[in-house]
């Protein structure tokens, strides 16, 4: 068996050497071979959980870096050596002396740093270490993705708890990272492997359902594909047309997001048209020509176009999507792309070898990370990264046509903060596609958004639940941290306001909760924890409004509603938050919600409204 392993090791390593011989110098090939031999020696006595020699793993990572990511000599060397410092007695200095500063840097970044005290946790500190490397180089992230990809491909040999840990990390961090770098194939494989090991039963069921669906729809899809081929051939267009099913993870994620079951989930598959085009400038014209020929035969779904050619996704994805009605009476999703687009969509950052292209990707990546200040007190590190990286982004526009990329489910308030923190801080309302909208409005791809500000507007605590972008969340967290902390909290049941008879109870954390003296909860606490009672001064603050609602019963008459609202808004200068009214047989039942500064002000309002002609009863709800 040992003899067979030796032969397998040499064969696997030779595959890496053969790939690299085609694009690097003989001297670099020699250095790559030396790195393999050094790693082979360092890991000589180590085995994987499967029982195989440990060197199989570094070779596999080097092969992914060389063949799938198509990186240069130093990243391949670092891939061979990436576990040497962590798992053997060799040090970074040993790596540096033998293979130079650049290789040593790459190995250092992908090596987990053992610390006595971690800033956040061992896992998150390691994520931070990798992401920090983007300020210098992006290759270390690619090596780490290759390492994670091979670990996922061989995860079956691990115990269940280890599978869950590694699969969880992969789904939550590494797959989004691959997505952001435009590495579609790696992202999809990581997602599916993660689901397979986290939820094997669900994954197996999904695979079976996909297979059954393929068999049931094979005739229909084949006919649709054949008709598209016929149309293209008649117009002298050479293209590859295939029906592709979405991966289990993609469908699983969509089912969880929409609440639909598999059978009712739309877009389980799509038809892909891929054609060669030597001239990038001609790509769009050819795409539109194909689109024109297809819509001459097939009916197009209204608003069924997504033009990712003019407006690529943040990860660089380009294609032209259109929904067409097949002769079977079903809407079919069709993607029209060039071979160049498919190549770029698949391997993203490494699709082009030009230095300028790599710089553009690195700069784009840095822009995502530049506002993220990682330290222990800030917290939420992983959530911030995942929000910024994953998964579908949307492109919206200012009225002047400036494109703004936001994560899916972003709101008009996120948009405001993306333009400028001052605009976000004082955002009052928005217009989305010319229509008046709340700043809480969820945006969609292609929306034109205009934000209107008011200097007197200030952030509300509820805004934390409205925004999804890191930039907005960070500003709000900083803003509220600077605000003076309230001296006490109000009981959520009785909701006391200044001027009412109140009592305070000291909580175990030192804070004080105030109740109305008539509150059943206060009476219960006083009877059981009397020593926690404290005296409080609940004073009116002209800057603070407390929400209240009143119920009015009256005899209907002309101008009754106008008189009631005039009393609140014009006479007492308060804003109405909500108003509902219902009239049955001339009896009006009305509920009005607004904010008051004090109990005395509320009593004044009730007194004024009670004096209006026809009003029979006014009471606080």
């Amino acid at each position: 068996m040992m003899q067979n392993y030796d032969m397998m090791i040499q064969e696997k390593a030779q595959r890496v050497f053969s790939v690299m011989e085609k694009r690097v110098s003989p001297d670099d090939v020699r250095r790559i071979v030396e790195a393999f031999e050094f790693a082979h020696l360092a890991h000589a006595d180590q085995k994987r959980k499967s029982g195989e020699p440990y060197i199989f793993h570094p070779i596999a990572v080097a092969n992914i870096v060389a063949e799938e990511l198509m990186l240069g000599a130093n990243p391949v060397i670092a891939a061979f050596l990436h576990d040497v410092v962590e798992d053997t007695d060799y040090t970074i200095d040993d790596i540096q002396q033998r293979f130079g500063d650049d290789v040593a840097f790459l190995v250092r970044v992908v090596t987990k740093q053992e610390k006595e005290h971690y800033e956040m946790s061992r896992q998150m500190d390691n994520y931070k270490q990798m992401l920090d490397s983007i300020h210098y180089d992006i290759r270390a992230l690619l090596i780490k993705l290759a390492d994670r990809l091979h670990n996922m491909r061989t995860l079956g040999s691990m115990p269940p708890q280890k599978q869950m840990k590694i699969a969880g990390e992969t789904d939550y961090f590494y797959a989004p990272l691959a997505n952001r770098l435009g590495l579609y194939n790696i992202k999809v494989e990581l997602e599916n492997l993660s689901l397979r090991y986290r939820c094997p039963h669900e994954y197996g069921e999904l695979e079976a359902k996909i297979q059954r669906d393929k068999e049931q729809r094979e005739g229909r899809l084949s006919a649709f594909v054949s008709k598209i081929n016929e149309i293209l051939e008649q117009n002298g267009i050479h293209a590859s047309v295939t029906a592709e099913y979405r991966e289990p993870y993609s469908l699983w994620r969509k089912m969880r997001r929409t609440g639909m079951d598999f059978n009712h989930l739309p877009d389980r598959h799509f038809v892909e048209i891929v054609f060669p085009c030597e001239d990038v400038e001609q790509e769009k014209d050819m795409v539109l020509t194909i689109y024109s020929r297809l819509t001459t035969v097939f009916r197009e779904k209204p608003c069924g176009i997504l033009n990712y050619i003019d407006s690529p996704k943040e990860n660089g994805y380009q294609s032209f999507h259109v929904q067409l009605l097949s002769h079977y009476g079903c809407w079919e999703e069709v993607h029209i792309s060039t071979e160049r687009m498919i190549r770029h969509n698949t391997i993203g950052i490494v699709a082009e070898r030009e230095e300028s292209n790599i710089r553009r990707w690195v700069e784009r990546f840095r822009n995502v990370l530049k506002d993220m200040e990682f330290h222990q007190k800030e917290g939420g590190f992983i959530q911030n990264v995942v929000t910024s990286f994953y998964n579908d982004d949307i492109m919206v526009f200012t009225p002047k046509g400036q494109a703004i990329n936001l994560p899916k489910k972003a709101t008009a308030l996120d948009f405001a903060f993306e333009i400028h923190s001052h605009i976000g801080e004082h955002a009052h309302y928005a217009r989305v596609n010319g229509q008046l909208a709340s700043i809480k409005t969820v945006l969609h791809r292609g929306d034109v958004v205009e934000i209107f500000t008011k200097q007197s507007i200030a952030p509300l605590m509820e805004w934390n639940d409205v925004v999804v972008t890191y930039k907005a969340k960070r500003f709000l967290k900083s803003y509220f941290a600077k605000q003076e902390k309230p001296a006490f909290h109000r009981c959520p049941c009785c909701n006391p306001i200044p001027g009412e008879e109140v009592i305070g109870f000291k909580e175990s954390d030192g804070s004080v909760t105030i109740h109305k003296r008539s509150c059943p909860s206060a009476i219960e606490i006083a009877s059981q924890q009397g020593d926690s009672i404290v005296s409080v001064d609940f004073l009116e603050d002209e800057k603070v409004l407390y929400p209240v609602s009143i119920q009015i019963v009256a005899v209907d008459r002309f101008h009754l509603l106008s008189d009631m609202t005039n009393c609140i808004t014009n006479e007492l200068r308060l804003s109405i938050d909500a108003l509902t009214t219902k009239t049955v047989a001339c009896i009006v039942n009305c509920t009005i919600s607004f904010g008051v500064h004090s109990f005395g002000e509320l009593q004044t309002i009730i007194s004024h409204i009670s004096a209006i002609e026809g009003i029979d009863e006014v009471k606080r709800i």
Side-chain angles (χ1 to χ4, degrees), residues 27-187:
D27 187 54
D28 279 337
V29 172
R30 177 188 57 76
R31 294 174 62 239
I32 291 170
V33 173
E34 287 178 2
F36 157 68
E37 291 173 347
F38 182 81
H40 191 189
L41 177 64
H43 294 296
D45 299 326
Q46 297 174 347
K47 294 186 182 300
R48 304 202 83 203
K49 293 290 185 182
S50 62
E52 296 175 334
Y54 192 87
I55 191 62
F56 275 18
H57 172 64
I59 295 173
V61 174
N63 188 66
I64 294 170
V65 170
E67 193 166 8
E68 298 182 44
L69 294 175
M70 300 182 295
L71 298 182
N74 281 356
V76 173
I77 292 170
F80 274 124
L81 305 172
H82 77 277
D83 277 338
V84 166
V85 175
E86 190 173 328
D87 295 340
T88 77
D89 293 332
Y90 289 102
T91 66
I92 286 292
D93 289 339
D94 294 325
I95 301 293
Q96 186 175 22
Q97 290 172 11
R98 286 172 169 81
F99 301 100
D101 293 342
D102 188 48
V103 171
F105 162 75
L106 294 174
V107 173
R108 182 183 296 110
V109 172
V110 298
T111 299
K112 294 185 180 73
Q113 301 296 313
E114 296 294 338
K115 303 177 184 177
E116 189 172 338
H117 300 290
Y118 293 98
E119 292 180 41
M120 294 166 282
S121 73
R122 181 181 180 184
Q123 286 170 285
M124 289 193 288
D125 279 18
N126 286 325
Y127 299 150
K128 177 184 181 296
Q129 177 186 325
M130 284 185 289
L131 290 173
D132 282 347
S133 72
I134 192 61
H135 296 296
Y136 313 102
D137 204 318
I138 206 161
R139 296 170 302 163
L141 288 179
L142 298 175
I143 296 169
K144 191 61 185 177
L145 279 173
D147 177 35
R148 178 52 55 121
L149 180 57
H150 184 251
N151 281 334
M152 289 300 295
R153 287 172 176 173
T154 57
L155 198 56
S157 61
M158 292 287 186
Q161 66 272 19
K162 192 73 170 178
Q163 289 179 349
M164 184 63 198
K165 174 184 178 293
I166 295 174
E169 288 178 346
T170 300
D171 187 33
Y172 207 56
F173 182 79
Y174 289 98
L177 179 60
N179 175 74
R180 197 57 169 196
L181 294 173
L183 302 171
Y184 178 79
N185 283 3
I186 291 178
K187 168 235 182 194

Side-chain angles (χ1 to χ4, degrees), residues 543-599:
K543 297 179 181 179
V544 181
L545 286 170
Y546 298 91
V548 295
S549 296
I550 57 174
Q551 186 176 36
I552 302 167
V553 180
V555 178
D556 193 22
R557 65 170 174 81
F558 184 66
H559 264 309
L560 175 65
L561 185 61
S562 174
D563 289 345
M564 290 190 295
T565 56
N566 180 67
C567 176
I568 297 172
T569 58
N570 291 335
E571 291 182 25
L572 301 171
R573 312 291 291 176
L574 295 171
S575 297
I576 292 176
D577 298 323
L579 186 152
T580 60
T581 182
K582 186 176 183 180
T583 303
V584 178
C586 295
I587 302 301
V588 177
N589 198 309
C590 179
T591 300
I592 304 177
S593 300
F594 48 91
V596 296
H597 297 94
S598 68
F599 181 68

Side-chain angles (χ1 to χ4, degrees), residues 505-575:
F505 293 90
K506 194 167 186 177
E507 305 290 350
S508 57
D509 62 358
S511 63
V512 174
T513 301
I514 58 171
H515 301 250
K516 292 182 187 177
R517 288 178 176 262
S518 59
C519 175
S521 178
I523 296 170
E524 181 180 351
I525 297 171
S527 68
Q528 299 175 17
Q529 303 172 36
D531 291 341
S532 66
I533 298 174
V534 294
S535 177
V536 292
D537 291 322
F538 191 18
L539 303 177
E540 178 181 342
D541 184 340
E542 63 177 16
K543 297 179 181 179
V544 181
L545 286 170
Y546 298 91
V548 295
S549 296
I550 57 174
Q551 186 176 36
I552 302 167
V553 180
V555 178
D556 193 22
R557 65 170 174 81
F558 184 66
H559 264 309
L560 175 65
L561 185 61
S562 174
D563 289 345
M564 290 190 295
T565 56
N566 180 67
C567 176
I568 297 172
T569 58
N570 291 335
E571 291 182 25
L572 301 171
R573 312 291 291 176
L574 295 171
S575 297

